[in-house]
Amino acid sequence: MKTMVMLIGAGAVGKSTISRLLVGEGATEYAVELNTVLKGEPARCRVRYAAGPTVALAGSLKNGSDSISAMDALRQVIDLCLQQRDVVITDGVRCTCTLVDWLANHPSRPAVVFAHIAPPLTINMQRLSARRAARGVTEEQLPDKTYWNVFHFRARARAVWRYAQAHYRRPQVQFVEIVHGTAEQAATQIVDALRGEGKE
Amino acid sequence: MKPLKFEITQPQDGTWVGEALRGQWLSHRHYRLRLGPDGLLGHYLVSVTGRPVCLYLPQALDLREQLELEPLFRGVARRKAWSTKRLKSVGNLSTHRNRNGTWSTLPRAQRLEMLRHAKEGTFGWRGRFPCAYNLESPDEYARIANYTHRISDLLMDNWPEAYERQMLVCSRRYNHLIGRTPWSQAVVNAEFYMSSHMDDGNVRGSLNAEIVYGDAQGGRLIIPRLSLGIQVRPGDVLFFDGSELHAVEAFTGRRMSVVWYLRPPNAAR
C-alpha cells in the first residue's frame, strides 16, 4: 500500500526537520531533470529527492519540498517517489488546496496522512529569529515584511488543513495536528498515524 | 493563568430588543452579571452562542508602570468632548439647526452635568493619516506605542486565536498601526459618560482593548445584550468586540479610559 505524508505548516515550524527524521539517517539524495511548465512556459527543471530504506522525500534533505520551485515538477517527483518507495513525504510551505485535490484524484489511490504542524505563534517567531541568526543575520527584531508574512503563512497553512479535512473524501486518510512538542515527538506521532493508516 | 470560559446563550425567539437601547443611557437595570471586584473576579472569556465577545483580565498590568503613563494619556485628551461630533453617537445629544436653517454638524451641548468636564483625544492612525498627537509629541507617542505592546502581548498570551486573526487583518497595512500591535488608533476619554453605542467605524469583528484610570464609583462598561456590567479598574485590561452595543454607566469621581481599536485602512480622516 502506497502512503503519502503531507506536512502542512507555516515557515520555520520544523517541517523539514520532521521530514529528515522520518526519512532516516541513511537516506540518499538524487537529482533528476524533468520536463515541466514554469510560469506557463515549458522548461527543463533539475530537482532533488531523497530516499531512505522505506521512505522517500519529494525534495532535498536540506530544504525539503521547498527546493522544488515548480508545482508541476513537485507532482512529477511525488509520482517518481511513489514508484520507488511505499511512503512518500511532501513538506512544502507552498502546499495548496490544489495539491490536496490532486492527491484526492491520484490514480494510485494512496493512503494519506495530513499532518498540520501548528506551534504557538511565539515559538514560530522564535524559531524564525533563530534560523535567521544562524544564517548570520544580526537584527534587533524581525524585519516588517518577514514579521507580518508569518501571519499569512500560518493562515494559509490553516486554510489548507481545513480544506483537506473538509474535502478529502477517500477512506484511507489520517489527520494529525501537532501543536506542542519536539520534532522527534512529532515524527513519532506521524509514525503512529502511519501504522494506523486507513483506520479513519 | 488561563481564562475561565463561560457561555451565554442568546435567546433565539427575538426577545432581544437591543436596537431600542441604542443611544440610551444605561444603568444597573441593564445588567445582571457583574465582572469585577463586586462580582465575579477572575480571568474570564465570555462568549455568546459560541462567538467570543470579551476577555476580562483583572490586575494584569503593572500598576506602577500604568500610572507613570497617566500624564501622557491626560495630554492626549485635550479636546472638550461636548463640542465634538462624537458626542452625537455616544452622548445622546441631538443636532440643531444653524441660523441659516441648515443642520449643524456639531451637537448642541445640553445641560448634562456629567459631560461638562468630558474631554477626549486620539493617537495612532486614522486610515493612512497620523493623528495630530503623533506629530506634535513624537517622544510621548513612542512611549505610548511601546506600552501598547504590553497590552498586545496580553491578548497574544490569553487569547491567541483572536490575536492572530486580528494581526492577519493588520498585516496588509502594517505601516499604519500603533507599532506591531493589532490596533491602528486609540481614544482617550476623560470624565466621559457614554450612552449605548456601537463602534461602527471599526473593522468588523475586531477587538478593542480598554484600560482605565481613576477612582470613580460606578462607570461600569455595560454590554446589555449579554446583561454584563464590567468594572474595569486601574491595572485591569478588557478586550471586547466594539460592534456589540455598549455603554458607560454613570459615575462619580475621576475616570479616564483608553480604548485601542482597529479602523479600516480607508477610514476618512
Side-chain angles (χ1 to χ4, degrees):
Chain A
M1 178 87 195
K2 301 287 183 185
T3 307
M4 274 294 305
V5 178
M6 190 166 171
L7 300 183
I8 301 167
V13 294
K15 296 185 301 298
S16 299
T17 314
I18 295 168
S19 300
R20 278 194 292 271
L21 286 169
L22 289 170
V23 172
E25 289 207 343
T28 319
E29 200 168 278
Y30 303 93
V32 284
E33 284 212 357
L34 300 170
N35 289 320
T36 181
V37 180
L38 197 58
K39 293 181 182 170
E41 297 286 325
R44 192 102 177 121
C45 190
R46 188 179 166 82
V47 295
R48 291 171 184 279
Y49 69 94
T54 53
V55 182
L57 167 64
S60 70
L61 281 169
K62 184 169 179 277
N63 291 323
S65 301
D66 294 340
S67 66
I68 303 170
S69 53
M71 293 307 277
D72 181 46
L74 177 62
R75 288 176 202 150
Q76 288 188 49
V77 174
I78 291 172
D79 282 339
L80 188 68
C81 292
L82 280 171
Q83 286 165 19
Q84 298 187 8
R85 296 289 185 276
D86 283 341
V87 180
V88 179
I89 304 166
T90 175
D91 62 355
V93 77
R94 293 166 298 127
C95 71
T96 57
C97 300
T98 320
L99 193 63
V100 175
D101 288 341
W102 179 77
L103 270 180
N105 298 313
H106 199 277
S108 67
R109 303 179 70 85
V112 181
V113 176
F114 290 102
H116 184 209
I117 323 292
L121 180 67
T122 42
I123 291 177
N124 200 167
M125 291 286 189
Q126 282 165 11
R127 286 185 62 101
L128 188 59
S129 300
R131 178 189 281 190
R132 289 172 68 86
R135 217 185 287 156
V137 183
T138 46
E139 57 199 3
E140 271 185 29
Q141 57 177 15
L142 291 170
D144 276 343
K145 197 174 173 193
T146 312
Y147 177 83
W148 290 101
N149 267 341
V150 171
F151 296 97
H152 279 278
F153 278 115
R154 286 173 68 87
R156 180 183 174 152
R158 214 166 25 244
V160 174
W161 167 248
R162 284 183 188 149
Y163 182 86
Q165 284 182 313
H167 292 89
Y168 195 89
R169 290 276 171 258
R170 281 188 174 165
Q172 288 170 325
V173 61
Q174 292 265 333
F175 294 99
V176 185
E177 185 154 37
I178 298 159
V179 179
H180 298 289
T182 60
E184 287 79 10
Q185 288 166 333
T188 313
Q189 267 182 269
I190 292 167
V191 170
D192 289 346
L194 281 170
R195 285 189 186 131
E197 64 193 18
K199 273 183 190 168
E200 207 168 309
Chain B
M1 188 200 286
K2 272 208 156 190
L4 291 170
K5 295 180 181 178
F6 66 85
E7 171 84 21
I8 294 172
T9 310
Q10 193 189 356
Q12 300 292 322
D13 56 357
T15 50
W16 162 242
V17 285
E19 274 304 307
L21 289 177
R22 195 165 181 167
Q24 302 298 307
W25 301 106
L26 303 189
S27 66
H28 61 91
R29 287 181 289 113
H30 295 97
Y31 62 87
R32 285 193 173 177
L33 190 60
R34 293 160 185 251
L35 294 190
D38 59 344
L40 295 169
L41 188 58
H43 290 32
Y44 288 106
L45 178 63
V46 184
S47 56
V48 54
T49 46
R51 189 173 71 91
V53 172
C54 77
L55 173 67
Y56 173 59
L57 303 173
Q59 300 305 303
L61 289 168
D62 179 358
L63 194 55
R64 215 170 101 185
E65 191 185 8
Q66 188 186 339
L67 292 175
E68 276 175 17
L69 286 166
E70 186 171 359
L72 298 189
F73 287 127
R74 289 244 172 239
V76 176
R78 53 197 170 165
R79 272 193 306 176
K80 282 214 165 191
W82 63 268
S83 63
T84 62
K85 283 183 187 176
R86 192 158 168 257
L87 216 57
K88 268 198 292 192
S89 55
V90 298
N92 195 22
L93 299 186
S94 58
T95 50
H96 60 283
R97 283 186 189 272
N98 293 325
R99 281 183 190 165
N100 61 8
T102 57
W103 286 102
S104 168
T105 53
L106 298 178
R108 184 187 292 277
Q110 293 178 343
R111 288 172 192 272
L112 189 58
E113 197 60 36
M114 308 252 345
L115 286 173
R116 177 154 292 179
H117 304 293
K119 284 187 174 183
E120 63 162 9
T122 57
F123 62 88
W125 296 79
R126 193 177 179 100
R128 289 176 290 114
F129 305 102
C131 293
Y133 184 81
N134 308 10
L135 306 174
E136 288 165 14
S137 316
D139 295 339
E140 287 83 353
Y141 174 67
R143 276 186 72 190
I144 290 175
N146 196 26
Y147 188 67
T148 307
H149 283 104
R150 303 284 163 80
I151 314 271
S152 164
D153 288 347
L154 281 174
L155 181 62
M156 182 170 71
D157 293 342
N158 291 284
W159 196 355
E161 308 85 37
Y163 174 81
E164 232 177 286
R165 198 171 53 233
Q166 193 152 328
M167 288 297 262
L168 182 65
V169 175
C170 294
S171 63
R172 296 183 194 284
R173 34 86 63 104
Y174 59 77
N175 287 332
H176 304 130
L177 298 169
I178 304 174
R180 283 180 174 177
T181 67
W183 299 292
S184 59
Q185 200 180 13
V187 61
V188 181
N189 303 304
E191 276 67 70
F192 205 152
Y193 160 41
M194 291 182 196
S195 66
S196 63
H197 64 280
M198 295 174 185
D199 300 345
D200 291 330
N202 293 1
V203 170
R204 254 185 110 76
S206 64
L207 287 174
N208 297 357
E210 183 182 24
I211 62 170
V212 165
Y213 287 96
D215 52 357
Q217 296 292 310
R220 285 171 181 276
L221 185 101
I222 301 171
I223 304 179
R225 185 158 79 103
L226 312 184
S227 193
L228 201 62
I230 308 164
Q231 184 79 67
V232 187
R233 300 161 303 161
D236 299 354
V237 187
L238 176 72
F239 299 101
F240 67 100
D241 184 349
S243 63
E244 284 288 335
L245 196 71
H246 59 278
V248 176
E249 191 185 27
F251 55 87
T252 53
R254 303 202 77 185
R255 182 185 191 274
M256 179 173 74
S257 66
V258 187
V259 182
W260 284 268
Y261 48 88
L262 180 63
R263 302 274 291 188
N266 57 353
R269 197 165 187 169

